[in-house]
Amino acid sequence: MSITFTEPTAAEVADLCDKAADVIDKNGHCKRDLYDHKQAAGGTRPQDCRVDVIGALNIAAHGQPIYTGKSLLVWRAEDALLARIPDAAIVSWNDARGHGKREAAKLLRDTAAGLRKAAES
């Protein structure tokens, strides 16, 4: 069985980034993993735990902070984020000192706005 992927539009990627920022605003932000495993061990559902940027994208896309391996939309959002940061990996940016909840949500929203602006051109 083969999987067929449909290339998402810039608007769809932008919407995902905005939704991921909302996830971080609601759940909180964590470092070093897709979601806060200690919080989950305490009884919080993974989709309600603090998340890193990629965990937030995953929740926004399919309701869970882990990868499903089937979301071209998440991959394209990651590509858009990588184009905006100096780091070679989103996880490096996410885990760096000074990049907390506010900065993570801002990166996602700024990426969404940049995608929409580029699509209008």
Side-chain angles (χ1 to χ4, degrees):
M1 176 198 284
S2 65
I3 298 172
T4 304
F5 291 105
T6 302
E7 188 66 38
T9 66
E12 290 170 328
V13 176
D15 288 346
L16 180 68
C17 289
D18 279 335
K19 288 177 187 173
D22 292 343
V23 169
I24 288 178
D25 285 342
K26 178 180 172 271
N27 292 20
H29 177 256
C30 76
K31 295 181 181 278
R32 295 177 196 49
D33 216 329
L34 295 172
Y35 66 99
D36 187 331
H37 291 271
K38 288 182 183 178
Q39 190 180 11
T44 303
R45 297 178 318 157
Q47 62 266 32
D48 296 325
C49 289
R50 289 179 289 272
V51 290
D52 74 355
V53 171
I54 297 170
L57 287 170
N58 284 320
I59 290 174
H62 57 79
Q64 293 293 324
I66 58 173
Y67 284 105
T68 64
K70 299 178 183 175
S71 182
L72 187 56
L73 181 59
V74 172
W75 296 337
R76 292 299 177 250
E78 289 179 13
D79 289 343
L81 290 167
L82 282 168
R84 297 188 69 83
I85 61 175
D87 301 67
I90 296 167
V91 67
S92 299
W93 183 93
N94 184 85
D95 292 354
R97 183 175 297 223
H99 295 161
K101 178 180 177 179
R102 180 179 30 232
E103 293 79 15
K106 183 178 183 329
L107 172 63
L108 287 157
R109 288 194 176 98
D110 288 351
T111 300
L115 287 164
R116 288 186 182 102
K117 184 175 182 179
E120 292 173 1
S121 301

